[in-house]
Amino acid sequence: MSVAGTATPLLEVRRLAMHFPISEGILVSRKVGDVKAVDGVDFTINKGETLGLVGESGCGKTTTGRCILRLERPTAGQILFDGVDISRLERKQLVAMRRRMQVIFQDPYSSLNPRMKVGDIIAEPIKVHGVEPDANRRRARVRELLSVCGLDPKFVDRYPHEMSGGQRQRVGIARALALDPEFIVCDEAVSALDVSIQAQVVNLLEDLRERFKLTYLFIAHDLSVVRHLCQRVAVMYLGRIVEMAECDELFDNPLHPYTQALLAAVPVPDPRVEATRTFRPAKGEVPSPINPPSGCVFHPRCPMAVEGCKRARPELTELRPAHWVACSEVN
Amino acid sequence: MPPLLEVKGLHTEFRTGAGLVRAVDGISYTVEHGETVAIVGESGSGKSVGALSILRLIPDPPGRITDGEILFNGYDLRRLSEPEMREIRGRDIGMVFQEPMTSLNPVLTIGRQITEVLEQHQGADGSAAQRRALELLDLVGIADAGRRLRQYPHQLSGGMRQRVMIAIALACSPKLIIADEPTTALDVTIQAQILELMKSLTLKLNVALIVITHNLGVVARYASRVNVMYAGRIVEAGSAEDIYHDPRHPYTIALLKSVPRLDQPRRARLDPVDGQPPDLTKLDGGCSFRPRCRYAVEQCSQARPPLASVGGGGHTAACFRSADLVAARDVAA
């Protein structure tokens, strides 16, 4: 199966799986099971596109991002970045690849070293990769990056604790841009910010994508931000993609019962709209990824489930043009 | 009938290394029997400190309630002794906090934590308390209640723990529940379950609810009245309809415009609130939203605008320009 669009793919993820072993025993450790954090995921991201990866805690969205950055070595599957399979690369070859892909983390408090000045934080990747050996030119580059991210270049001499959450997140973004990457994983990059500041950073991310022709994997649980920022969206549940489509198509015509439950659960900031919505929350809670349900992993919570859903795992299928769904009851 | 709760001119201050912080700087509002009131604001707006002040749970030092009245059922809670206050907490006013893992005791069983409240406040004996605890877990939708009573908090999921918190809050049939970001730590499908549960229980049992949140969607779905806070003050108050469809404070207007919406296709760009959040140690005598305000005039730097009526039904806003805002707001939209 391939899930390819018409444009040029920058990233192709095929049958990606990441299982973390669980061990028991203190003296003699033996493996007793696996946490199937990511369990067979396929998608592509085209050049210049933003793909949203959404789902609740434990669905495997962050682990997927970490595998793509090769912060984890995946258990199985392929990750083709610009045509090269990076899932099995060794350290040396990886370093060269990593210059082209960067990450922005969720928490602007814990992702910046509190003992380093802002200027040094942003200069560090440039130093590590030996891009700009000249200290003066490096300093100039840091100041440029700060102003690109909407910060006063005078901030180079500040420490992270002297800045607000929104300003720190801009520093994290400047650091991600330092190596002129093509691809950035934004892992809950605006989730920790207050509403009034979140919109500023969302706009900045959009401006940067246009200006530097960036490609984003935007991992988030806030569906409203995803609708605003992404061209396509993939919904994950318990390690698998259950639905993937163009952004408006997914939000206006969700087909998978999990996507429908997820969208219905999000309250809209408008009492008139809320008064007209009828909604019943999805029953139950997300099962453990150590021992996921048989067949379709959503069947214990699904209002549409039939006997067959307990047996066969539904494949992601293109039910409408560019709209992929993994459910045997939808057609 | 007088309102269940009337907060009048409440001030709470903290002495910090950076200076005096007026976390709550003169807020007044009422809560009627059985109604749901939302307090909305961003980090540092004073919404949580305001609620903790009602229960007198502000750590002193560094914090202190310096002025105001908190009339609950006609009694001023500020005048009660600490033992009297302890009677009120948990019996007449229940509490639900954001993080159910840190607000439950990790070394006591769920059952013990519920029966403790019943024994403390109602003098219930062992078997009566056990029966009531079972009923309560049933009420908040926890299946297999008998087994759950013997379990510890770490054996429950986040959503389940929050249900236990609600059971404890409801244990003594309180008249008011204060819920501080009750669903912020939960996933969205679980958030919806918990909010629906709180809504149906408060209706069924006629309990008033103060829900403190930063989530404008949650407010729109559940609250009848809304207080918007900024830098320690209520800047706008009214019915949910007033706040969302006729906002009269520049902060409310800017906040509503800055949120992307799930039910609408993408707009060209978001319209963020300009500038940075206020530094509470450096507020002056003017309007604290002034540095970020698109409509600020000279007058705004000289005095603080009082909360004044801007329409019927108790809709109030603290802005000198709330009358001219309507035209400007609608042109911009």
Side-chain angles (χ1 to χ4, degrees):
Chain A
M1 187 190 73
S2 84
V3 187
T6 45
T8 354
L10 178 65
L11 184 80
E12 276 186 80
V13 173
R14 293 181 188 158
R15 284 279 166 232
L16 180 71
M18 182 72 226
H19 296 178
F20 295 99
I22 312 164
S23 308
E24 247 176 30
I26 298 165
L27 292 176
V28 184
S29 168
R30 63 193 172 90
K31 196 178 129 182
V32 292
D34 279 307
V35 175
K36 298 180 182 74
V38 179
D39 198 21
V41 157
D42 296 87
F43 61 84
T44 61
I45 309 179
N46 296 321
K47 277 190 177 134
E49 182 184 49
T50 301
L51 176 75
L53 193 57
V54 303
E56 299 179 277
S57 336
C59 72
K61 56 191 192 298
T62 291
T63 306
T64 303
R66 290 177 59 87
C67 286
I68 291 168
L69 294 163
R70 274 301 309 276
L71 297 171
E72 307 285 354
R73 193 188 177 93
T75 315
Q78 290 176 304
I79 301 163
L80 301 175
F81 185 82
D82 210 3
V84 181
D85 184 3
I86 60 168
S87 65
R88 299 279 157 238
L89 288 188
E90 292 307 322
R91 203 184 136 72
K92 258 196 177 149
Q93 301 152 298
L94 256 185
V95 170
M97 271 300 177
R98 284 229 177 98
R99 271 181 62 175
R100 303 172 64 186
M101 41 170 73
Q102 290 291 313
V103 59
I104 301 166
F105 294 104
Q106 168 168 6
D107 184 353
Y109 292 80
S110 58
S111 58
L112 303 178
N113 187 333
R115 290 166 185 254
M116 281 169 81
K117 286 182 181 174
V118 163
D120 298 327
I121 290 172
I122 299 172
E124 194 170 32
I126 308 177
K127 266 196 218 163
V128 167
H129 286 271
V131 178
E132 182 55 80
D134 181 273
N136 280 332
R137 284 221 289 266
R138 207 159 55 218
R139 253 187 111 68
R141 169 80 177 135
V142 167
R143 296 170 85 87
E144 182 199 334
L145 285 163
L146 279 172
S147 74
V148 162
C149 293
L151 291 172
D152 190 323
K154 280 189 288 201
F155 280 19
V156 284
D157 291 320
R158 293 226 190 153
Y159 286 95
H161 76 264
E162 298 172 286
M163 309 174 93
S164 69
Q167 289 169 333
R168 285 185 224 207
Q169 198 58 311
R170 288 173 191 266
V171 172
I173 295 170
R175 175 176 62 185
L177 291 175
L179 294 169
D180 274 323
E182 295 151 65
F183 174 68
I184 299 182
V185 174
C186 306
D187 189 358
E188 301 279 8
V190 299
S191 310
L193 304 175
D194 265 319
V195 182
S196 71
I197 301 301
Q198 181 175 294
Q200 296 177 359
V201 176
V202 166
N203 280 348
L204 174 66
L205 288 172
E206 288 197 286
D207 294 344
L208 295 173
R209 179 182 64 207
E210 275 172 35
R211 183 163 166 190
F212 298 111
K213 308 271 176 286
L214 296 168
T215 304
Y216 291 143
L217 175 63
F218 193 81
I219 299 169
H221 69 277
D222 184 333
L223 295 156
S224 312
V225 171
V226 167
R227 171 151 210 184
H228 177 81
L229 202 77
C230 300
Q231 277 87 49
R232 280 191 307 130
V233 181
V235 181
M236 280 187 83
Y237 184 77
L238 222 57
R240 303 174 189 184
I241 290 179
V242 296
E243 183 161 9
M244 181 159 60
E246 297 285 330
C247 196
D248 283 339
E249 166 72 9
L250 186 109
F251 284 97
D252 293 334
N253 283 311
L255 294 177
H256 195 284
Y258 176 65
T259 314
Q260 291 171 353
L262 198 62
L263 295 185
V266 181
V268 169
D270 185 338
R272 288 183 196 168
V273 173
E274 281 301 328
T276 64
R277 286 175 93 192
T278 48
F279 126 95
R280 267 190 18 187
K283 59 182 181 191
E285 302 192 1
V286 182
S288 156
I290 299 171
N291 188 14
S294 62
C296 170
V297 286
F298 188 58
H299 85 254
R301 302 177 73 190
C302 182
M304 291 163 58
V306 294
E307 205 45 40
C309 300
K310 293 179 187 168
R311 289 190 297 269
R313 170 177 171 169
E315 286 292 329
L316 203 55
T317 316
E318 191 170 13
L319 289 186
R320 294 183 187 177
H323 191 153
W324 300 74
V325 186
C327 177
S328 53
E329 292 304 297
V330 177
N331 36 47
Chain B
M1 197 155 61
L4 175 67
L5 177 77
E6 197 170 359
V7 176
K8 285 184 183 171
L10 181 69
H11 285 77
T12 306
E13 299 178 350
F14 287 86
R15 286 177 197 285
T16 71
L20 187 70
V21 171
R22 294 196 174 87
V24 172
D25 197 12
I27 61 171
S28 303
Y29 62 95
T30 57
V31 179
E32 303 291 340
H33 288 267
E35 83 169 334
T36 296
V37 173
I39 314 255
V40 199
E42 299 182 281
S43 327
S45 62
K47 56 189 193 301
S48 292
V49 172
L52 290 175
S53 300
I54 294 173
L55 294 162
R56 300 219 334 238
L57 286 175
I58 299 296
D60 177 6
R64 208 159 66 87
I65 300 174
T66 54
D67 199 9
E69 288 174 73
I70 303 161
L71 301 174
F72 178 73
N73 254 346
Y75 293 100
D76 188 351
L77 298 185
R78 280 195 68 205
R79 292 173 189 275
L80 298 186
S81 67
E82 186 49 38
E84 287 170 325
M85 195 61 216
R86 217 175 293 143
E87 286 289 295
I88 300 269
R89 289 187 207 120
R91 188 188 65 193
D92 299 309
I93 306 179
M95 297 156 268
V96 177
F97 295 108
Q98 171 170 356
E99 224 330 304
M101 192 63 218
T102 52
S103 35
L104 289 172
N105 189 331
V107 298
L108 295 183
T109 61
I110 299 302
R112 183 66 200 125
Q113 299 191 53
I114 301 176
T115 52
E116 187 178 30
V117 183
L118 295 166
E119 287 165 19
Q120 174 80 31
H121 289 300
Q122 300 189 327
D125 66 14
S127 61
Q130 279 289 331
R131 273 199 308 279
R132 176 82 176 128
L134 270 174
E135 264 173 46
L136 284 163
L137 285 197
D138 231 28
L139 184 71
V140 296
I142 292 184
D144 200 359
R147 185 170 62 93
R148 294 297 183 189
L149 281 179
R150 293 189 299 274
Q151 289 188 324
Y152 291 88
H154 76 268
Q155 293 170 296
L156 273 58
S157 67
M160 202 88 84
R161 283 184 212 131
Q162 204 58 305
R163 286 176 193 265
V164 171
M165 283 299 294
I166 294 170
I168 294 174
L170 287 171
C172 300
S173 314
K175 297 180 188 69
L176 172 68
I177 289 183
I178 299 178
D180 188 0
E181 301 274 9
T183 59
T184 305
L186 304 175
D187 271 317
V188 58
T189 58
I190 307 302
Q191 164 179 298
Q193 291 174 358
I194 297 292
L195 289 169
E196 287 296 310
L197 175 72
M198 290 180 68
K199 185 183 185 179
S200 69
L201 289 179
T202 48
L203 276 175
K204 188 165 136 193
L205 306 171
N206 195 32
V207 185
L209 177 68
I210 298 178
V211 56
I212 296 153
T213 179
H214 68 281
N215 186 325
L216 292 163
V218 168
V219 175
R221 188 177 279 180
Y222 297 101
S224 46
R225 283 197 300 137
V226 185
N227 296 308
V228 182
M229 284 191 73
Y230 187 81
R233 305 192 136 210
I234 293 176
V235 294
E236 184 160 5
S239 68
E241 174 70 20
D242 291 338
I243 298 292
Y244 286 84
H245 289 286
D246 186 19
R248 297 295 190 90
H249 192 282
Y251 176 62
T252 318
I253 296 171
L255 204 57
L256 287 170
K257 278 190 182 166
S258 71
V259 280
R261 285 180 54 160
L262 189 72
D263 61 333
Q264 287 174 356
R266 193 186 130 77
R267 283 170 282 163
R269 265 171 78 85
L270 292 179
D271 191 2
V273 185
D274 307 322
Q276 297 296 320
D279 179 345
L280 294 178
T281 59
K282 297 200 176 74
L283 296 181
D284 56 16
C287 170
S288 45
F289 187 61
R290 178 182 89 246
R292 305 175 77 183
C293 183
R294 289 175 195 185
Y295 309 101
V297 291
E298 185 57 29
Q299 189 187 7
C300 305
S301 59
Q302 282 149 9
R304 281 197 179 160
L307 205 54
S309 176
V310 289
H315 187 190
T316 54
C319 178
F320 293 124
R321 301 198 60 198
S322 55
D324 339 335
L325 276 181
V326 178
R329 173 191 80 196
D330 296 343
V331 168

